[in-house]
Amino acid sequence: QVQLVESGGRLVQAGGSLRLSCAASGRTFSDYSMGWFRQAPGKEREFVAGISTGGNIITYADSVKGRFTISRNNAQNTVYLQMNSLKLEDTAVYYCAAKVPGSSYPNPSNYNSWGQGTQVTVSS
């Protein structure tokens, strides 16, 4: 497993932008596909974005497509989530997660490691 530490969550106004970072430990970061999930109050954890080991395959939830961008820098053991045009409904705790290749991105059960989460609050 890989250990993940998220950062970057904060209060931001609707329409604003925010970049979340997820720093991974160890030497095997490039072996893992990565995903971002979020969980809003009263809701289940939902898939936001996923990226393959080399970054060549990227997938997004429909709710964030065109607004969010997932990327990774394997040399720095870091995955990012750039969030633009933020909406009130984007308010959630955002989690970074790692999985082995070959399983579906949206299913949280496929992920081996999870970060602690970082709070993103979008205000009007």
Side-chain angles (χ1 to χ4, degrees):
Q1 298 185 24
V2 59
Q3 292 184 333
L4 306 172
V5 179
E6 298 148 306
S7 62
R10 65 173 179 88
L11 175 67
V12 63
Q13 292 187 170
S17 298
L18 194 63
R19 189 178 76 161
L20 306 182
S21 299
C22 176
S25 64
R27 300 180 178 179
T28 59
F29 175 69
S30 61
D31 293 337
Y32 291 90
S33 299
M34 302 296 296
W36 284 97
F37 292 77
R38 67 187 183 186
Q39 188 166 20
K43 295 185 177 181
E44 294 185 352
R45 187 164 46 193
E46 67 173 347
F47 172 76
V48 176
I51 187 168
S52 61
T53 56
N56 57 311
I57 300 174
I58 292 174
T59 184
Y60 297 98
D62 288 342
S63 59
V64 306
K65 191 174 298 182
R67 299 188 299 120
F68 290 10
T69 302
I70 188 172
S71 62
R72 67 190 296 163
N73 188 325
N74 286 345
Q76 297 182 1
N77 279 17
T78 306
V79 62
Y80 303 95
L81 185 68
Q82 177 66 47
M83 304 184 294
N84 299 326
S85 301
L86 283 162
K87 304 175 180 179
L88 292 177
E89 53 263 42
D90 294 321
T91 295
V93 177
Y94 283 72
Y95 298 91
C96 180
K99 74 176 186 72
V100 296
S103 58
S104 65
Y105 285 94
N107 188 353
S109 298
N110 290 332
Y111 290 79
N112 308 100
S113 301
W114 293 84
Q116 80 286 351
T118 184
Q119 176 71 48
V120 174
T121 303
V122 183
S123 65
S124 61

